[in-house]
Amino acid sequence: MTPFDATSGSHRPSPPPQDPWAQVGLALTLVAVDPAGLRGVWLRGRAGPVRDRILTALDPLAPRKLHPFMAEDALTGGLDLSATLALNTLQRHEGLLSRNGFLTLTMAERCPPDLSVRLGQALDARSGLSLVALDEAAEEGEGLPQALADRLALFLDIDVFGWSDTSDLVLDWPRIAAAQARLRSIALPSEALVQMTRLAATLAIDSLRAPWLALMAARAHLAWRGGQALTEDDLKIGVELVLAQRARALPQDAPEDTAPPPPEPPETDPDQGRERDAQEPQIPDDLLIEAAFAALPPGVLARLQAARAARTGAGGSGAGAKRKSIARGRPMPSRPGKPGSGARVDVVATLRQAAPWQAMRRAARPDAPAGRLLLMPGDIRIKRYQDRTDRVLIFVVDASGSAAVARLAEAKGAVEIMLAEAYSARDHVALVTFRGDHAELALPPTRSLVQAKRRLAGLPGGGATPLAGAMQVALDASLQARARAMSPKLAFLTDGRGNIALDGTANRAQAGEDAMRLARAIAARAIPTLVIDTSLRPKPQLSELAATMNATRIVLPRADARAMAATLGAALGG
Amino acid sequence: MTPFPFAAIVGQDEMKTAMVLTAIDPKIGGVLVFGDRGTGKSTAVRALAALLPPIQAVAGCPCNSATAEDCPDWAQVTDLALVERPTPVVDLPLGVSEDRVTGALDIERALTRGEKAFEAGLLARANRGYLYIDEVNLLEDHIVDLLLDVAQSGENVVEREGLSIRHPARFVLVGSGNPEEGELRPQLLDRFGLSVEVTSPKEIETRIEVIRRRDAYENDHATFMAQWQPEDAALRTRILAARAALGDLKTSNVVLHDVASVCLALGSDGLRGELTLLRAARALAAYEGAPDVTRDHIRRAAPMALRHRLRRDPLDDAGSTARVARQLAEVLP
């Protein structure tokens, strides 16, 4: 019945956790004991019978359901129009966030940044509110938004469980109630505070919420087992359930985690903890670190090794990319506005807006025809969609002498085909060209096919190759696009023989240096980039440059326009 | 629970200084706090409220008017008594509707009594006080536009149902956010007088102290507040003294020249940077009880007054804080 019962109450040393499923039961128990302290559970895994078992166990908490695209007034409450009109007095309905209790956030991996932040704020402001986030992330990079991941104490990865590993979970509610009563009287010993904070720092966890939440988990565990003082077992639970998942470095790494060395098994590193903690810690840190290791979810070790690369990727991608993933067909709340200019009137919202004022308006205009709704311009609500794809393809086309004229014609053709495709996909396109002593933004981001074609056709060829200048123009255009919440992508079509430096001088060495510097700047901002090498015999400079930009490089010495466009389309993700 | 005391915030000195300066001279124009999660950004802003000296306002006025004459007509204020009330610090939540920000027709009175009446919004409540936006970089564009417009004119104008309502809306913007979640438009950035960047403390002792105080705040609340509230009170007194001293503070031509050359060297946009830097340096001098503003005050105020006003330079990986420091070292040796 309650398999996790076995783990509580006893003091036997227990790394690694003997029964992972029991650990799940314990985690749920702890969050039920102290929802205000732990704030909630981050449950990663696919929907299925295993997840259902977990959610069934939480049923007695009567969680309310929340999904990522709920309307504003469902969250914060609003006017209850039908009740208001029926009773002729103001009736409001309560929002999900304005009441205490448990919320279940479904499809948490799709939670847009603004909602995650608002949920975070709600959790901060209302200690009676707790959240179970159901994260079905399938791929690397998807997942619960940081604003929530940082606040929810407990992490459970349930994809590791097969159906046969699990059994029905029934929480021991009377005992939970007793633990809740004990919770208030438990004081956290100073050594525990110190130790948990140190340990979190050793695992390179930046946020100070983490050690605090781990302490809360330890305290809840103590209350649950009904002990007198915090012991190693309690702290270990905090480490396993809270800190392990957040670890960004292994203990033997430098805390800065600049160059994570390959992780070694924990038992080869007994020294560091002892040396540092000469001031009689209550419990050896080693044991806790071991606990952290044992509790590391599968894949985390690999993640830690790749931590640095992953972090630049995630950190630099900016708002545009994130927003794009939530943009698809999402209707936005209606706004007041004027009809016409292509806007569509949201009839229902407009009627809702007008309804409460009818009595008042009728009183002001007794001559108005009976039985008709009195609408005012201010009632009109306009529909809004996030229908743009938010993508800008910035083509950087080499029109210099070294890029042979025939090749330029192919490049132009490819860009034209891409333009047509972009047009149907409602992408924006921009064009940077470079030749002679300068590069220019020949076409700022646009959806106008005609304009783009005209600019391309008029593109002259010949002259020197100011590649660095072109990269700068392209970078500026990308950053501007990002500032407008669009996702820029760069496509270079060049043979890469840059010979004009940023300052306009014909200095090949300086030109190469400038180009590398810009390549690093482009990489640092994680702008997805594609380099099409159009030279007959590909040179190492360009491949080096492409590598520095983290770009995909495609060699197309003899491609015709259609093949080039197909390649571009595939490489840029369709 | 009473908010966390300002004085008990561990470390984060630049953020605390910036907030104290804006409390001394609200004309500096607010603070933007950008930084990592879990660094106590919003805790600090909420704590700031306790430091602000109270204001005199007409008791019945929805927009905190200072005198009976200032009360807008539509408010039909009946209670004209002057009362002392805490400086308003109003939260502007994300996802707020335009109606709630600007005010709208009072739906209850329209329904129950068939009257047209205006229900004041957040802008009215924030008049003569502070408007706080947590996660300001996620605010919807149309709300940002609205704020920029009102902040520019100092007046909120609403036209609804044949009513034309206007009222003063002068407020200091305070914002906080996490840069990973989106950038801020330069126009909005410019509205903030000062900006600071916060990071998680690196020293282990500092981190431990943070956790200790949090524990004391949550689990031994009364004792903790009894310990720290006097410190907050002392800080408030000091802010009041600095306010009084501000008028007598001398600013030499050399100092004015310094301010201009720093801004010139950094190429900060517009005159707002210069004015803010000067005001911030003066407030800093007043806070420290100095008789006049010195180059040192400018040097210390410059990063927070200027770092968000620089033109973006994609090639400079150092970040704006380092750029300000570099120029300061050159211009003000």
Side-chain angles (χ1 to χ4, degrees):
Chain A
M1 269 292 265
T2 54
F4 53 91
D5 256 348
T7 54
S8 54
S10 72
H11 289 265
R12 71 204 136 84
S14 53
Q18 55 287 70
D19 176 1
W21 186 245
Q23 191 87 342
V24 169
L26 181 61
L28 299 182
T29 304
L30 295 187
V31 82
V33 168
D34 187 10
L38 296 174
R39 309 327 318 263
V41 186
W42 170 9
L43 208 63
R44 165 166 287 175
R46 293 302 174 82
V50 175
R51 196 176 88 177
D52 289 346
R53 276 196 157 145
I54 292 175
L55 294 181
T56 309
L58 292 176
D59 267 349
L61 290 169
R64 286 162 289 152
K65 221 177 213 165
L66 182 73
H67 72 80
F69 300 108
M70 243 169 198
E72 179 59 36
D73 64 342
L75 294 178
T76 50
L79 184 70
D80 185 338
L81 198 57
S82 44
T84 299
L85 292 179
L87 301 171
N88 226 16
T89 57
L90 186 69
Q91 301 291 319
R92 290 185 177 281
H93 68 80
E94 232 176 16
L96 283 169
L97 301 184
S98 42
R99 232 176 343 137
N100 289 344
F102 270 82
L103 290 175
T104 311
L105 176 66
T106 55
M107 294 187 294
E109 78 285 354
R110 304 258 297 145
C111 184
D114 50 342
L115 177 64
S116 64
V117 160
R118 290 190 49 213
L119 284 175
Q121 288 172 347
L123 288 175
D124 286 352
R126 188 175 275 276
S127 61
L129 200 64
S130 310
L131 185 70
V132 178
L134 305 179
D135 165 17
E136 296 180 40
E139 288 163 34
E140 199 53 43
E142 261 189 323
L144 191 66
Q146 274 299 316
L148 289 177
D150 191 43
R151 284 179 172 88
L152 304 183
L154 308 178
F155 172 82
L156 295 175
D157 186 348
I158 58 169
D159 273 345
V160 298
F161 297 108
W163 174 247
S164 57
D165 306 331
T166 66
S167 51
D168 276 341
L169 284 175
V170 180
L171 302 189
D172 185 347
W173 295 102
R175 194 169 154 198
I176 285 171
Q180 278 171 339
R182 281 192 289 269
L183 204 58
R184 294 228 146 265
S185 57
I186 298 176
L188 292 166
S190 175
E191 309 86 70
L193 297 179
V194 173
Q195 200 169 14
M196 204 58 103
T197 316
R198 273 186 198 284
L199 189 60
T202 311
L203 295 169
I205 304 171
D206 259 351
S207 172
L208 279 165
R209 282 200 184 97
W212 177 255
L213 292 172
L215 286 163
M216 292 296 100
R219 185 178 74 166
H221 187 250
L222 168 61
W224 163 251
R225 66 177 179 82
Q228 292 305 308
L230 273 185
T231 65
E232 181 194 319
D233 267 358
D234 303 320
L235 291 180
K236 216 154 50 189
I237 290 295
V239 171
E240 286 168 2
L241 290 177
V242 181
L243 292 191
Q245 152 64 17
R246 290 161 212 252
R248 280 178 46 241
L250 301 165
Q252 59 267 54
D253 290 357
E256 285 81 11
D257 171 39
T258 42
E264 291 160 28
E267 53 274 12
T268 62
D269 177 47
D271 299 340
Q272 196 179 351
R274 271 184 213 148
E275 260 176 36
R276 201 190 48 238
D277 273 319
Q279 323 107 304
E280 87 276 341
Q282 197 186 21
I283 298 154
D285 276 8
D286 292 0
L287 276 176
L288 290 178
I289 289 176
E290 264 179 54
F293 265 107
L296 283 180
V300 166
L301 282 183
R303 181 173 63 87
L304 291 180
Q305 278 176 296
R308 193 157 169 237
R311 211 154 359 109
T312 48
S317 68
K322 265 187 209 152
R323 276 186 202 161
K324 193 207 153 224
S325 69
I326 62 148
R328 238 162 265 142
R330 182 184 171 203
M332 309 276 290
S334 303
R335 285 202 50 213
K338 291 192 184 69
S341 66
R344 285 172 60 195
V345 175
D346 185 337
V347 177
V348 175
T350 304
L351 293 180
R352 284 173 68 98
Q353 184 64 29
W357 313 105
Q358 292 306 311
M360 188 186 80
R361 287 178 187 165
R362 203 155 288 283
R365 291 177 51 194
D367 54 325
R372 278 228 204 127
L373 198 67
L374 300 180
L375 275 184
M376 304 273 276
D379 296 332
I380 294 174
R381 292 293 180 272
I382 302 288
K383 278 188 181 168
R384 290 190 304 156
Y385 297 98
Q386 262 187 354
D387 63 345
R388 47 177 195 181
T389 63
D390 290 337
R391 206 164 69 148
V392 200
L393 289 175
I394 303 173
F395 291 97
V396 189
V397 179
D398 184 347
S400 68
S402 63
V405 179
R407 210 153 299 285
L408 180 60
E410 293 295 353
K412 282 183 188 176
V415 173
E416 268 183 39
I417 294 169
M418 288 296 294
L419 279 173
E421 275 168 20
Y423 184 73
S424 55
R426 298 178 65 73
D427 285 344
H428 287 78
V429 193
L431 183 65
V432 177
T433 60
F434 58 111
R435 63 178 285 268
D437 57 359
H438 75 289
E440 60 173 337
L441 185 62
L443 181 68
T446 179
R447 277 187 192 150
S448 158
L449 193 58
V450 178
Q451 212 186 354
K453 274 187 168 169
R454 201 172 293 153
R455 297 282 173 101
L456 261 184
L459 186 64
T465 315
L467 178 58
M471 291 171 76
Q472 172 139 48
V473 174
L475 176 57
D476 286 347
S478 309
L479 295 179
Q480 268 173 27
R482 243 183 214 169
R484 283 182 286 151
M486 303 202 272
S487 303
K489 294 190 173 183
L490 288 174
F492 286 88
L493 284 88
T494 177
D495 61 1
R497 277 175 250 181
N499 51 15
I500 300 288
L502 269 187
D503 58 7
T505 54
N507 177 341
R508 194 174 280 274
Q510 183 64 42
E513 227 169 82
D514 286 349
M516 286 307 279
R517 205 150 55 89
L518 278 152
R520 282 193 292 275
I522 289 173
R525 279 155 190 85
I527 301 166
T529 305
L530 173 73
V531 175
I532 306 217
D533 191 337
T534 56
S535 54
L536 284 174
R537 285 174 295 278
K539 297 276 185 302
Q541 294 110 295
L542 189 54
S543 61
E544 196 188 329
L545 203 63
T548 311
M549 285 191 278
N550 288 335
T552 315
R553 175 167 156 274
I554 299 169
V555 185
L556 282 177
R558 284 188 197 283
D560 62 7
R562 201 152 284 282
M564 206 185 265
T567 319
L568 264 169
L572 290 175
Chain B
M1 206 146 63
T2 12
F4 198 85
F6 190 84
I9 294 169
V10 185
Q12 312 292 14
D13 291 329
E14 197 188 22
M15 172 173 74
K16 285 195 280 186
T17 309
M19 290 195 183
V20 166
L21 295 188
T22 189
I24 291 173
D25 182 1
K27 286 207 190 89
I28 291 173
V31 185
L32 174 67
V33 187
F34 246 37
D36 299 342
R37 281 178 202 86
T39 43
K41 297 183 294 275
S42 42
T43 308
V45 179
R46 298 189 195 287
L48 171 72
L51 291 188
L52 298 167
I55 57 168
Q56 293 277 334
V58 175
C61 181
C63 44
N64 311 311
S65 297
T67 62
E69 297 88 77
D70 291 348
C71 294
D73 298 336
W74 54 262
Q76 297 167 357
V77 178
T78 46
D79 185 357
L80 290 172
L82 279 183
V83 292
E84 195 168 83
R85 61 169 69 148
T87 299
V89 178
V90 176
D91 253 300
L92 187 101
L94 293 179
V96 68
S97 70
E98 248 165 282
D99 279 359
R100 248 191 91 201
V101 178
T102 59
L105 278 187
D106 186 334
I107 200 164
E108 187 158 22
R109 276 173 71 181
L111 276 174
T112 53
R113 287 184 258 167
E115 289 171 7
K116 272 189 214 176
F118 182 70
E119 187 181 20
L122 298 177
L123 291 176
R125 281 173 48 207
N127 187 35
R128 302 181 64 211
Y130 288 71
L131 190 68
Y132 173 46
I133 314 167
D134 192 10
E135 309 286 354
V136 59
N137 41 345
L138 292 176
L139 201 60
E140 274 212 76
D141 271 351
H142 66 275
I143 303 284
V144 172
D145 293 342
L146 203 151
L147 282 181
L148 287 177
D149 183 41
V150 174
Q152 181 65 42
S153 61
E155 188 177 49
N156 179 34
V157 181
V158 184
E159 308 270 353
R160 292 281 153 82
E161 300 276 332
L163 280 186
S164 180
I165 299 291
R166 51 185 60 217
H167 67 79
R170 291 178 210 288
F171 49 84
V172 177
L173 265 187
V174 181
S176 59
N178 184 322
E180 276 175 33
E181 270 144 10
E183 295 197 25
L184 222 55
R185 281 154 63 185
Q187 294 85 339
L188 185 57
L189 270 180
D190 196 44
R191 295 287 155 210
F192 292 97
L194 308 177
S195 86
V196 288
E197 289 162 8
V198 292
T199 52
S200 301
K202 294 283 173 259
E203 306 76 38
I204 190 73
E205 290 310 319
T206 315
R207 294 177 70 95
I208 291 172
E209 191 56 30
V210 172
I211 296 289
R212 275 215 179 99
R213 289 193 193 169
R214 167 120 194 225
D215 178 43
Y217 171 72
E218 301 230 344
N219 297 326
D220 194 5
H221 192 67
T223 322
F224 186 71
M225 294 314 277
Q227 180 190 351
W228 287 101
Q229 263 163 351
E231 306 244 354
D232 264 9
L235 195 53
R236 194 163 47 233
T237 314
R238 207 172 147 194
I239 288 171
L240 280 176
R243 267 192 188 187
L246 215 49
D248 302 327
L249 208 60
K250 286 189 232 17
T251 314
S252 68
N253 278 334
V254 179
V255 161
L256 292 178
H257 188 263
D258 279 352
V259 168
S261 24
V262 170
C263 292
L264 202 63
L266 279 165
S268 66
D269 290 344
L271 275 176
R272 205 190 290 269
E274 272 170 63
L275 282 173
T276 309
L277 174 52
L278 187 60
R279 283 214 170 98
R282 286 176 60 87
L284 187 60
Y287 182 57
E288 292 177 352
D292 41 22
V293 185
T294 65
R295 181 170 276 190
D296 181 54
H297 295 126
I298 295 183
R299 205 178 279 132
R300 283 187 288 145
M304 48 181 130
L306 298 179
R307 68 161 65 88
H308 55 301
R309 300 176 201 276
L310 305 186
R311 279 194 186 278
R312 203 170 298 197
D313 181 356
L315 275 184
D316 199 331
D317 289 329
S320 40
T321 305
R323 275 164 72 195
V324 175
R326 206 189 306 147
Q327 292 293 344
L328 277 176
E330 272 179 36
V331 180
L332 304 181

